[in-house]
Each structure stands twice: as structure tokens, then as C-alpha cells.
Amino acid sequence: MTDTAPHIEILAPGAYASLQDAGRRGWRRIGVPWAGVLDVRLMRIANTLAGNAENAPVIECFDGGLHLAARGGALRVAVAGDAAVELESGGERRPLAAWRSVTLNDGEQLRIRRMNSGRIAVVAVAGLAVPAVLGSAATYPRALLGGLDGRALAAGARLPAAAPSGLERVLGTPPADDDGPLRAMPGPQDDHFSSEALETFFSADYRVSAQADRMGVRLEGSALAHLGAREIISDATVPGSVQVPGNGLPIVLMADAQTAGGYPKIATVIGADLPRLAQCRPGDTLRFARVDAAAGGAAAREREAATRRLLAAIRPLAGGIDLAALYAANLAGDAVHALAPEYRPLN
Amino acid sequence: MTIRILDAGDAALTIEFGDAIDPRLLAAVNALDAAIAARQAAGGLAGVIETMPTFRSLTVFFDPLATSRAGLLAELQPLFAAAEHAAPPAGRRWRLPVCYEGEAAPDLADTARAIGRSADEVIALHSGSEYLVYMLGFLPGFPFMGDLPEALRLPRRTEPRVRVPPGSVAIATGLTAIYPWESPGGWHLLGRCPVPLFDATRAAPSLLAAGDRVRFEPVTMAEYERLAAALAAGEIDPQRWLVAATANETGT
């Protein structure tokens, strides 16, 4: 990459930032997890806002702190997720709404200051170019696959992108939070647990521990007793598998988790609800609700339909006025500042 | 053979053939896997994303937007018969170098003590058998191999290590394995193998496949280091440790 070609420079990765896409399919049989973005909906929204294909590679970041700059020319970036975003230009800082795309001129910076709710934001960059490894750009650091040299993003990383074209875009009404219990299907080893343990799993409060990342989310709360052996002959895991090791405390496996495991799996969180678990912060409490296969399938279709409605609601930002951001900041009625987002105070 | 259908969430089904580590179950798993691949090649089984064969089960990953559990199961059920009388997979035969010395073998002395044998006897036991690759998983290219000689069977370490170095050759329960990547791990580390087991730039990224057979050949630390350097420099092709293209051929 030449310094004069448009590219993103990572100034700080925050808590953890990595390149992801829809994930790496077809290699679980040789031990390669799918990896991929933890919340596919955020990736699809961010890419659509940026004018990319829905599954193009994106930057997924945790807990705020991601800080990047446009180099070598103007770029178009978009943030999906409930993030407090800040734009910095010539030493001046101003807040920017999430759920929109924006043009960063050469040298301008974008920072995810913090997450208002949730843990994960997704940043799309128009024309972001990352080579695919085994069919995907998703970073899986354990085996150095995807991303940049298989590693998480670090300060100084540079990602080639494209010059902006067309209008900036906005998602007027971001998806609403859903605080309902996480739906899970019993199995594949629910028969390794007593009916009391299953009852506990589907009714007790669990707390997200500090060990919650792209591999798995360890939960604290009521221990679940095994019937008989605490280990099984290793079999396949899936994203959403709820493993119960010897101490009885469940671990929900996420995108980067090992593909096989020797702990009985009491249940599996359905795909429609797994992104909500990924968004839980350490200390958050949650519950599980039992669903059957038919309800799991229906939930997948409902989530897809809702995602398609969100994508269809993305509109060009006419004349550069970000009405959604104005309403979100409760400044739409402010006669002085209504058309000048740069005067909005930091929140 | 009793087949059980287990739910693994809204996007996967596990078809389980039994509850043991047994080459006959592996044959059934691989036969169903092959039957599914053949149906897919013929344009069937829409919505199936991939399959994962394990010791005793096959997990079928599907897109719940493209098919349903009931619809998929109706298509899969006729294929189960293929698994019933399956022959073991042909596999290939490998002989992989292992250094059982010094820092490459951090648990050798403890293992010898635990089973009441000398370190040399442990090495002779471990390198004296040929192992079947039952499955790959846990980490990219990680082979679960069996069966260990009875004398070498130990439970996992009570304190798992936070860092197992890549190339570590390990044992636990009735199995042996090689860690392709640094990772946490609870197995006993008897040695180290210099041959990379996973390379994403190869058409077949995993060196080993389920059904292959592996024998270990003790090498000195000096030889291990020479091989590791030559492999890193690309001067040796890992295929050089392939002894026979099928396990039915006699190794040289």
C-alpha cells in the first residue's frame, strides 16, 4: 500500500478490535471455527450504510476506545451499534450519531468513545480490502487466520479502502433493545442432567463473568449438577453450545470457540438470540427460556425479516443533515443549532 | 447400531451412533458423512452448510432460513442405512518424528512415575504403537488419535496448563494428540513434533485426516532442531513423512 492511496490507520484498537465478516464455512471438520462477526445484523447494517456488500469485511470492536484516521484521501465510514461516536478534525472534536455513514477527509479521525449499551460496535469502511483466508477475512488469532496476519488490530495497522461515492446514509430508527430471556433449545446432552438441573438452567438468573469474549461467555450463578460422568467423549460444538464443566457453571460458546469439546452441553442458545449474549457486559444478569426446534426456526425467520426491514429503512442523508442524530440528541428543536451538527455538545 | 438424533440448537443436528471410542463407530460416521457429500454433489440436501464428523457422531450444520429440522431429517434418514455396514476408511499411513527429550518432554518423568515405569519405557510404549486418527477438532488440525497402550492410560492433569507450546505431543485417557497451536491444555506432554500439522495455504490445510494412521519415531533434540529449522525454511515438504497412501499398504 502506498501512503497516497486511501487507507484507514488504526490509532488505537480499544479493548479488542478485529477484522471480521460473515465467517469461515466448511472447515469445522478439521477444527477451524467459523469465527466471523458476533452480531451479523450490525455487520449488514454498517456495510449497507457504507455502500458495501452486506457481508464485506468490517471492524468489530469491544467496549469503546477504537480510534482510527483517514489517510491518503477521503474515506466513507459507518458505525452500527449503540456507540457514542466522535469525529475529530483539525483538533476540533464533535459528536457524531451512530447508525450513519460519514465522509472522513484525509487526516480526520473517528473514535468510539464508549458504548451507551451493549459491548460491541461494528465499523464499516467503504471499499475495505482484506484478503480472504480459507474463504473469509475473519480474524481467528489462535491459528493466525484472516485479518491482518491473523492478528487482532493493533495501533499502526493500515487497511486499504476506497474513495467515497454517492451520498452518506442513515438508519433513521435503530433496532430496539430486547431484554427478554435468551431462548435456548435443550440438548444435545440434556440427558446428562437431572430434570431439576434443567429446571434451574431455564429459570435461574445467571451473571456474565469477567471471562466473556469472542470464544465464550462464562456465567456465574446456580451450579448445574451432572447425572453421572462430568465428561463425554468429545463431540462437535456449535456457536451457542452451553457447556457445563465439572464445577456446574455454564459456559456459552461463541464464534471463536473450539470446534469440539468434552463437557456435556445442556442446551444451545438459538442463533437469533446469540448476538444479544455477545452484547452482555460482565456483571449483567440474564435468564434462559426453553424453546423447541419449531420455535427456534420461527425465531430465525423473524430475525431475518426484521433485519431486512432495517436494511430497507436505510436512506441517503439528504443535504448532509442528519435528522436522526438531531432527534437523538434532542436538538432538533434548537433553532440555532439544528442544522449544524458540529455545534452539538459532547454528551 | 442405535442411532440417536440430538438437537444442537436451531441450526445443527447431531446424529449419534454410540457412546464409545471404537473404530466401528468411526466407520459409520464416515460412511454417513460420505453419503451426505454424495447427496449434496447430486444437488440434494439444500440448506446444509457443512458436516463435522467426530468419534461417534456426525453434526450437520444447516441454514434455518433454507431448511427446517423436520425437512432436513426427512432427507437424511434414508442415508442412515449407508452407515450401518460401513467398512473402515482407507486412510493414509504416516511416521512422524518426535523429540522425547528435555524441555520438549515436560511431563515425561511424572508420567513414568505415575505408571511405575522408566522414562525410556514410556517412550517405547508411546512410539511402539500405530494410532488411528479418530477426528480433528478443538484446534485447527488437532488430531485425536488412539488407542494408547493400556499401560499409558492416565486421566487429564488436575491443573491444566495455561500455555501448551505448539508441536506438543500429549496423552490423556486412551488418546494421544499433537497440539498444532499454542493453547491451554490439560493433557500430559511427552514430547514435541516439528512437523506443522496445519497450513492454510495448502489445498488440504490439515496434514492429517480422520482415518489416517500415525506412528511416532523418536528423534534427538539435535535432529528435532534441524528438522524444525528446515521445515520453517521450506526446505522439507511435510509429505515426506507420508509412508503409504493408504493404511492397507505396508510401510517402508
Side-chain angles (χ1 to χ4, degrees):
Chain A
M1 183 187 357
T2 64
D3 286 340
T4 52
H7 63 274
I8 283 281
E9 181 183 346
I10 304 295
L11 300 175
Y16 185 86
S18 62
L19 286 163
Q20 299 294 341
D21 58 15
R24 192 168 277 115
R25 297 292 188 276
W27 303 99
R28 293 187 84 90
R29 62 177 48 245
I30 56 168
V32 181
W34 287 347
V37 68
L38 291 172
D39 188 337
V40 171
R41 173 185 278 179
L42 292 186
M43 172 191 73
R44 294 169 72 183
I45 291 173
N47 272 327
T48 303
L49 288 167
N52 290 338
E54 283 180 26
N55 291 342
V58 291
I59 301 169
E60 177 191 85
C61 67
F62 275 71
D63 299 327
L66 175 70
H67 186 189
L68 44 82
R71 304 286 187 218
L75 298 172
R76 179 73 48 80
V77 300
V79 180
D82 192 7
V85 184
E86 190 176 87
L87 209 58
E88 187 174 330
S89 177
E92 296 283 311
R93 294 179 176 196
R94 61 187 171 91
L96 183 82
W99 311 103
R100 61 161 287 180
S101 58
V102 67
T103 303
L104 289 186
N105 292 310
D106 192 358
E108 289 186 329
Q109 302 172 17
L110 182 133
R111 184 187 274 113
I112 309 282
R113 290 183 57 228
R114 59 183 161 76
M115 297 303 297
N116 296 317
S117 66
R119 291 191 81 187
I120 296 162
V122 167
V123 180
V125 183
L128 184 71
V130 191
V133 176
L134 301 179
S136 166
T139 310
Y140 176 61
R142 184 144 284 194
L144 299 176
L145 297 179
L148 289 183
D149 302 323
R151 294 188 166 86
L153 291 172
R158 301 195 302 173
L159 309 168
S165 67
L167 292 169
E168 295 173 351
R169 298 180 200 187
V170 65
L171 173 63
T173 311
D177 286 344
D178 178 356
D179 296 329
L182 297 170
R183 291 166 290 180
M185 287 166 57
Q189 280 93 36
D190 48 316
D191 60 346
H192 282 241
F193 299 88
S194 67
S195 53
E196 290 79 15
L198 270 161
E199 186 57 37
T200 301
F201 176 73
F202 283 116
S203 62
D205 278 340
Y206 281 96
R207 194 170 51 256
V208 175
S209 80
Q211 287 172 291
D213 58 21
R214 288 187 44 85
M215 287 192 69
V217 176
R218 284 178 185 261
L219 299 172
E220 296 164 344
S222 307
L224 304 168
H226 299 76
L227 288 174
R230 291 170 174 204
E231 292 185 15
I232 59 170
I233 296 168
S234 289
D235 78 345
T237 63
V238 309
S241 287
V242 185
Q243 284 189 334
V244 183
N247 67 7
L249 295 178
I251 303 169
V252 188
L253 301 185
M254 307 301 279
D256 283 359
Q258 65 277 15
T259 54
Y263 296 124
K265 298 173 284 290
I266 191 171
T268 312
V269 178
I270 65 170
D273 286 0
L274 203 52
R276 283 205 280 130
L277 178 61
Q279 291 282 7
C280 285
R281 296 171 173 174
D284 284 356
T285 58
L286 54 85
R287 279 183 187 220
F288 296 97
R290 183 197 302 243
V291 292
D292 62 14
R301 290 188 293 277
E302 282 161 19
R303 177 147 178 113
E304 175 65 14
T307 300
R308 284 178 189 274
R309 283 196 297 274
L310 287 165
L311 295 175
I314 289 173
R315 299 275 178 254
L317 261 167
I321 302 167
D322 178 357
L323 286 174
L326 295 182
Y327 286 123
N330 291 321
L331 289 177
D334 185 321
V336 177
H337 298 148
L339 302 181
E342 53 267 72
Y343 293 131
R344 262 177 273 150
L346 289 172
N347 54 3
Chain B
M1 194 172 294
T2 314
I3 292 177
R4 293 206 304 162
I5 309 297
L6 307 173
D7 283 315
D10 62 315
L13 278 174
T14 292
I15 298 132
E16 189 184 87
F17 292 95
D19 192 19
I21 294 178
D22 178 337
R24 281 171 301 180
L25 293 180
L26 184 69
V29 169
N30 287 341
L32 178 61
D33 195 29
I36 288 174
R39 274 302 282 130
Q40 285 185 288
L45 291 168
V48 170
I49 296 167
E50 63 184 296
T51 57
M52 176 156 168
T54 76
F55 290 105
R56 60 197 174 93
S57 67
L58 187 78
T59 295
V60 180
F61 292 80
F62 63 92
D63 176 358
L65 302 176
T67 186
S68 68
R69 179 192 189 277
L72 178 60
L73 207 46
E75 269 199 279
L76 285 175
Q77 235 133 16
L79 307 181
F80 292 170
E84 293 282 353
H85 307 289
R92 296 165 295 174
R93 186 161 261 155
W94 301 84
R95 183 172 295 163
L96 297 175
V98 177
C99 172
Y100 292 93
E101 295 174 9
E103 66 178 30
D107 294 334
L108 182 63
D110 283 349
T111 300
R113 236 187 323 274
I115 66 168
R117 306 276 188 121
S118 70
D120 284 346
E121 285 174 306
V122 170
I123 296 168
L125 280 167
H126 188 254
S127 61
S129 298
E130 185 176 69
Y131 302 107
L132 171 64
V133 178
Y134 279 102
M135 65 176 279
L136 297 152
F138 174 60
L139 291 167
F142 182 101
F144 288 87
M145 298 179 276
D147 295 344
L148 278 181
E150 285 292 339
L152 272 182
R153 298 190 180 194
L154 285 174
R156 290 179 179 80
R157 286 165 56 89
T158 46
E159 285 284 316
R161 278 190 175 78
V162 178
R163 260 190 83 246
V164 171
S168 292
V169 177
I171 62 167
T173 61
L175 300 172
T176 185
I178 308 169
Y179 284 78
W181 308 96
E182 182 181 306
S183 108
W187 294 28
H188 309 269
L189 311 185
L190 297 190
R192 209 165 293 167
C193 172
V195 183
L197 294 190
F198 190 93
D199 180 349
T201 64
R202 290 193 297 242
S206 175
L207 189 68
L208 303 176
D212 286 1
R213 286 165 198 278
V214 174
R215 188 181 279 274
F216 296 116
E217 183 170 317
V219 297
T220 62
M221 183 63 89
E223 178 66 356
Y224 167 87
E225 282 169 356
R226 190 187 73 77
L227 291 172
L231 282 157
E235 294 161 9
I236 305 180
D237 182 346
Q239 295 291 324
R240 120 176 199 186
W241 285 283
L242 182 63
V243 177
T246 76
N248 298 328
E249 292 176 42
T250 313
T252 49

